[in-house]
Amino acid sequence: MAARTMQAARCPTDELSLTNCAVVSEKDLQSGQHVTVKTTPNHKFVFTVKTHHTVSPGSIAFSLPQRKWAGLSIGQEVEVANYNFDKSKQCIGAMTIEIDFLQKKSTDSSPYDSDKMAAEFIQQFNNQAFSVTQQLVFSFCDKLFGLMVKDIEAMDASILRGETASGKKQKIDIGLMVGNSQVIFEKAESSSLTLVGKAKTKEARQTIINPEWNFEKMGIGGLDKEFSSIFRRAFASRVFPPDIVEQMGCKHVKGIMLFGPPGCGKTLMARQIGKMLNAREPKVVNGPEILNKYVGESEANIRKLFADAEEEQKRLGANSGLHIIIFDELDAICKQRGTGASSTGVHDTVVNQLLSKIDGVEQLNNILVIGMTNRPDLIDDALMRPGRFEVKMEISLPDEKGRVQILTIHTNKMRSFNLLAPDVEIKELAAETKNYSGAELEGLVRAAQSTAMNRHIKATSTVEVDMERAEKLQVTRSDFMGSLNNDIKPAFGTNQEDYSNYIMNGIIKWGDPVTHVLDDGELLIQQTKNSDRTPLVAVLLEGPPHCGKTALAAKIAEDSQFPFIKICSPDKMIGYSEIAKCQAIKKVFDDACKSQLSCVVVDDIERLLDYVPIGPRFSNLVLQALLVLLKRAPPKGRKLLIIGTTSRKDVLQEMEMLDAFSTTIHIPNISTGEQLVDALELLGSFTDKERANIAHQLKGKRVWIGIKKLLVLIEMSLQMDQEYRVTKFLSLLRDEGADRSFYE
């Protein structure tokens, strides 16, 4: 037919509106023909036509979606001409259609089978013309859907010839629907429609983890392994295609608990998580902010946090985005229920509210709650079960590689502006900063910077900066080393002042017994470091009072060079109740478990136990705590050396405490005159002549005195005039022996 002018009209019936055909009179055209409708000189649209007796000749009727798509108005004159499809090039191979409910009020959350939908579509619209961007209405399961053609691929010509597919894909603007065309449905953006089956697009899901994230750029170092583990557990199911997750019956992880020592990066991770994830902005809540003085307000604050997620889940169902809620200092609001001293029980109801929101009867599937605490022991058990805070991850002290990363992050800016001296070696600093947390490493860099700045401040009556020299400011290795030795000490490290006080006078090797003890100590250190079978090594140094047990224990601890060394001493627990003493001892052992290699010296065990022979009296509570802690193996991958000291081996034997130690080493007193003279020579307190006199007096005699007591007697004698010093020393030695039958 030659092109002719026709008038646009309204579609006569609703049934015809659903056919996607333009409707004409039988006198003008035949059903099944394809025509082009030219609305303006530059706009042409292709339609398939149907005939109906109610349409007057010279009119062409369109449904509302068709008029909308082609920009037609009723009564508009259009140019209509025949259109013939080139079946070798214009048959539809695959067509992608965007689908949504036609009317928003008729939405429902029941799933629609896309495979059945596709079969129905091909049946309804077989042999019809379709164009990209075309809009139409589709009836399926008594529901009306609004469709829009997004994309059309031509069928491979080799398939039409009955050959195997060549694999070439060609996009076309207009195509003809045939029986073996493939129809793929894609849910419209923000639609609440749920599609199941294979004839739907793999939704272009926004990947949850930002592809450009990098811990070093974000200022998080040394935690790569922990965060990979978190993302593996918490985000894998959310990144995976939802069809497969649905088929597996897999539920998403809803909660992650991060715990570990202070300053190791838990809160820093919370600050950066928004940049790391492509989800909506996380809600960061400080635990104490939840609590409110008014009744019911604390619980309402918890409900408000989850309100957005609940509303979106009701509206969009499975297509809801991920809502992240981060609780910092979770232990402030989620303490064990029933332990609160207050009569109101606010903490308990807050915990109950949080439990029901995360995984209650009306559970949400579009949330991820991240809790952070350095006191996981305080958190209510019900929160820690799978389904709530399921992933528990310890953010522990960084290892050497992690410390290199952290120091690099904090010195990057200085390096880029040439303010870091070439002699600063990050690897050397990382090796020196064992047991430093991330916050302490940052503090170390700050301390070094302030030391460097201080050099350029003029010490005049006013504080002035020497501008000439300030421009050449550089932070040097000596600044870092000075800060390392004087300013920043690790909370979980070795307190050198602690053990250096015990070996103030050095170790006096007055004979073989002392050498043997130190050799055995070296063996125990090597065993702790190297043996995988014995991660816990406990040794008891026992001997008479004043024989130098504590000094030897401190020396062995110092020689170990372990990153964590703590002395658990009775002098730090004066006035403690039994329970407080147990908690203090437990804290030392708990802290030791946070380091890779640790040494704990339990000094003067009988004093810790409050033992006195009159009665006899001792603290059973502390005894039981020590028995448990001495036998408790450290966590996997951690090693612990325990050195105990006691003057009452017989008492520990009765208390069945000796069994808790792997081995017992006896520390003897000085027992012969020769050993005593050797000790005097090493101490260098008396002159050669005086020592010869003392040696003559003690020749062939047995003595029994501890090295510590000997030091006191020597220092006392040295206060006398020169000619009386030896006499006074021998007299004191004799008195010591007379009192205790030590001197023969």
Side-chain angles (χ1 to χ4, degrees):
M1 139 182 149
R4 55 178 285 190
T5 305
M6 298 179 83
Q7 265 193 347
R10 190 178 277 111
C11 191
T13 68
D14 287 345
E15 286 78 14
L16 285 168
S17 293
L18 297 175
T19 61
N20 190 39
C21 291
V23 188
V24 292
S25 166
E26 294 167 353
K27 292 175 183 171
D28 290 332
L29 293 159
Q30 292 177 347
S31 274
Q33 271 186 281
H34 312 296
V35 294
T36 57
V37 176
K38 197 172 187 181
T39 56
T40 67
N42 299 323
H43 291 88
K44 276 197 293 191
F45 301 90
V46 177
F47 291 98
T48 304
V49 297
K50 261 189 188 304
T51 57
H52 196 264
H53 64 275
T54 58
V55 179
S56 54
S59 291
I60 181 163
F62 299 99
S63 67
L64 179 64
Q66 289 171 328
R67 295 202 302 274
K68 214 176 188 179
W69 170 53
L72 288 161
S73 54
I74 305 293
Q76 181 181 340
E77 288 192 345
V78 291
E79 198 176 292
V80 179
N82 259 352
Y83 183 85
N84 295 313
F85 278 99
D86 178 350
K87 294 201 175 175
S88 66
K89 293 177 184 173
Q90 285 186 293
C91 284
I92 295 173
M95 183 162 76
T96 306
I97 301 171
E98 194 175 87
I99 182 167
D100 195 3
F101 293 107
L102 186 65
Q103 293 172 310
K104 294 294 178 195
K105 62 184 179 187
S106 67
T107 58
D108 67 11
S109 56
S110 53
Y112 287 90
D113 189 329
S114 58
D115 300 318
K116 287 181 182 171
M117 214 179 243
E120 179 84 14
F121 184 92
I122 291 167
Q123 197 176 338
Q124 276 189 40
F125 303 114
N126 194 16
N127 229 21
Q128 279 197 26
F130 283 95
S131 307
V132 174
T133 72
Q134 184 174 343
Q135 294 176 19
L136 63 148
V137 180
F138 172 50
S139 172
F140 178 74
C141 292
D142 297 328
K143 280 266 181 194
L144 291 179
F145 297 92
L147 309 184
M148 195 267 282
V149 178
K150 275 190 85 173
D151 186 65
I152 301 176
E153 262 177 36
M155 191 173 285
D156 195 335
S158 44
I159 294 176
L160 297 167
R161 294 194 295 269
E163 299 164 13
T164 52
S166 65
K168 288 179 186 171
K169 289 183 179 178
Q170 191 181 353
K171 304 274 186 191
I172 50 175
D173 291 329
I174 300 167
L176 182 69
M177 175 67 66
V178 290
N180 56 348
S181 296
Q182 187 187 358
V183 176
I184 302 156
F185 289 101
E186 185 176 292
K187 186 172 67 67
E189 200 178 334
S190 80
S191 168
S192 57
L193 175 68
T194 309
L195 290 177
V196 294
K198 292 176 183 166
K200 60 170 183 167
T201 55
K202 303 288 182 263
E203 290 171 39
R205 288 171 66 80
Q206 187 185 26
T207 164
I208 284 186
I209 300 165
N210 190 331
E212 292 173 13
W213 67 266
N214 172 316
F215 284 122
E216 290 202 23
K217 280 184 196 165
M218 291 182 165
I220 301 175
L223 294 174
D224 303 32
K225 188 178 158 196
E226 285 86 345
F227 281 108
S228 321
S229 190
I230 289 168
F231 288 126
R232 175 179 62 82
R233 291 291 314 277
F235 295 105
S237 62
R238 296 178 190 274
V239 174
F240 228 72
D243 324 354
I244 299 171
V245 174
E246 197 180 292
Q247 287 161 19
M248 289 175 81
C250 171
K251 281 187 178 176
H252 301 308
V253 165
K254 291 180 193 164
I256 302 170
M257 173 69 71
L258 304 178
F259 64 93
C264 286
K266 300 183 297 297
T267 310
L268 177 62
M269 190 276 268
R271 283 194 212 122
Q272 301 291 2
I273 203 161
K275 297 173 192 174
M276 207 183 298
L277 300 176
N278 278 338
R280 52 180 49 73
E281 192 69 24
K283 292 180 183 173
V284 180
V285 189
N286 292 320
E289 288 175 5
I290 291 290
L291 302 176
N292 193 299
K293 64 180 178 180
Y294 295 110
V295 175
E297 279 298 310
S298 304
E299 297 88 314
N301 287 340
I302 294 278
R303 288 196 291 276
K304 279 176 202 163
L305 292 173
F306 292 88
D308 291 348
E310 280 179 335
E311 185 272 326
E312 194 170 321
Q313 176 145 325
K314 277 180 191 162
R315 190 162 47 85
L316 300 178
N319 302 305
S320 167
L322 177 63
H323 292 253
I324 299 167
I325 301 166
I326 297 168
F327 282 96
D328 201 7
E329 303 303 337
L330 186 67
D331 50 281
I333 55 166
C334 291
K335 289 188 173 69
Q336 288 278 0
R337 285 171 289 180
T339 57
S342 78
S343 56
T344 59
V346 168
H347 277 100
D348 292 5
T349 53
V350 168
V351 175
N352 294 341
Q353 184 69 73
L354 191 59
L355 291 174
S356 62
K357 282 292 170 198
I358 298 176
D359 191 29
V361 177
E362 290 183 13
Q363 58 180 9
L364 296 166
N365 204 30
N366 60 343
I367 54 162
L368 178 68
V369 184
I370 300 173
M372 282 164 291
T373 179
N374 45 28
R375 294 294 306 277
D377 50 307
L378 296 180
I379 307 287
D380 192 88
D381 294 341
L383 271 169
M384 306 298 270
R385 72 154 173 80
R388 287 173 182 149
F389 286 107
E390 184 166 334
V391 179
K392 292 175 268 297
M393 182 60 61
E394 183 176 6
I395 308 293
S396 55
L397 296 167
D399 57 10
E400 194 164 325
K401 183 182 163 203
R403 293 196 294 276
V404 168
Q405 284 183 6
I406 294 166
L407 286 165
T408 305
I409 289 163
H410 293 303
T411 55
N412 262 344
K413 204 160 190 180
M414 287 194 286
R415 194 177 288 106
S416 62
F417 287 101
N418 200 27
L419 293 172
L420 199 65
D423 63 348
V424 177
E425 184 59 57
I426 296 292
K427 285 187 178 172
E428 181 198 8
L429 287 174
E432 290 289 326
T433 49
K434 291 173 185 168
N435 270 30
Y436 275 66
S437 68
E440 285 158 350
L441 290 168
E442 188 183 354
L444 174 69
V445 174
R446 274 202 305 270
Q449 288 167 339
S450 58
T451 310
M453 287 178 200
N454 221 36
R455 286 201 302 273
H456 300 288
I457 293 173
K458 292 177 186 171
T460 58
S461 53
T462 58
V463 177
E464 288 177 32
V465 177
D466 185 344
M467 290 311 291
E468 287 177 25
R469 288 177 62 204
E471 286 175 11
K472 296 173 189 169
L473 168 73
Q474 277 201 323
V475 183
T476 63
R477 179 180 179 275
S478 59
D479 295 328
F480 276 100
M481 289 305 168
S483 302
L484 200 61
N485 297 326
N486 306 317
D487 298 326
I488 309 291
K489 298 286 180 195
F492 294 92
T494 57
N495 192 345
Q496 205 165 352
E497 289 81 19
D498 254 12
Y499 58 79
S500 56
N501 286 341
Y502 292 108
I503 37 179
M504 208 187 315
N505 301 304
I507 298 295
I508 297 120
K509 296 181 182 174
W510 48 261
D512 290 344
V514 180
T515 315
H516 291 326
V517 171
L518 291 172
D519 289 348
D520 287 350
E522 182 55 36
L523 282 176
L524 291 163
I525 291 164
Q526 293 309 319
Q527 181 187 346
T528 311
K529 273 185 187 172
N530 304 326
S531 170
D532 290 328
R533 292 184 176 179
T534 54
L536 173 68
V537 176
V539 57
L540 179 67
L541 305 185
E542 62 83 18
H546 312 304
C547 66
K549 300 179 294 297
T550 305
L552 285 165
K555 179 66 178 164
I556 293 168
E558 186 184 38
D559 289 350
S560 73
Q561 293 290 300
F562 284 1
F564 181 97
I565 299 171
K566 273 284 189 301
I567 296 184
C568 182
S569 170
D571 62 359
K572 303 223 176 79
M573 301 180 199
I574 296 167
Y576 278 26
S577 68
E578 285 185 293
I579 292 171
K581 198 180 276 192
C582 287
Q583 285 173 340
I585 296 168
K586 182 176 180 290
K587 186 174 187 309
V588 171
F589 278 84
D590 285 349
D591 287 352
C593 289
K594 289 171 183 166
S595 176
Q596 302 293 321
L597 280 170
S598 312
C599 177
V600 174
V601 177
V602 187
D603 191 29
D604 219 352
I605 293 174
E606 66 275 16
R607 285 289 68 74
L608 281 172
L609 296 174
D610 300 332
Y611 172 79
V612 282
I614 305 163
R617 185 196 176 282
F618 69 94
S619 165
N620 190 42
L621 209 60
V622 177
L623 171 66
Q624 298 306 327
L626 271 175
L627 284 172
V628 170
L629 291 168
L630 289 170
K631 291 180 182 175
R632 187 181 75 178
K636 194 176 178 186
R638 315 275 164 90
K639 308 283 188 74
L640 175 60
L641 171 63
I642 302 169
I643 307 169
T645 71
T646 182
S647 304
R648 296 301 303 263
K649 183 185 174 187
D650 53 328
V651 172
L652 299 195
Q653 177 78 58
E654 280 184 45
M655 292 175 177
E656 298 181 349
M657 201 175 190
L658 290 187
D659 299 338
F661 290 95
S662 329
T663 181
T664 304
I665 298 174
H666 177 68
I667 316 286
N669 269 345
I670 294 172
S671 56
T672 67
E674 287 76 15
Q675 287 175 340
L676 194 144
V677 172
D678 286 347
L680 290 177
E681 193 174 336
L682 287 165
L683 285 162
S685 306
F686 293 107
T687 62
D688 292 349
K689 190 178 173 185
E690 286 170 330
R691 279 203 303 278
N693 189 357
I694 293 167
H696 177 69
Q697 297 280 348
L698 294 177
K699 194 173 181 184
K701 294 196 175 179
R702 285 181 59 76
V703 294
W704 188 251
I705 188 166
I707 186 73
K708 202 169 163 188
K709 178 66 79 174
L710 179 64
L711 276 167
V712 174
L713 299 188
I714 291 167
E715 288 304 310
M716 199 169 164
S717 311
L718 292 176
Q719 308 313 310
M720 302 285 290
D721 291 337
Q722 184 114 15
E723 66 259 35
Y724 302 117
R725 292 199 314 199
V726 174
T727 315
K728 183 64 180 172
F729 174 69
L730 291 169
S731 162
L732 288 167
L733 200 60
R734 197 171 293 112
D735 291 346
E736 184 68 25
D739 285 350
R740 309 189 187 188
S741 310
F742 285 169
Y743 183 81
E744 292 174 19

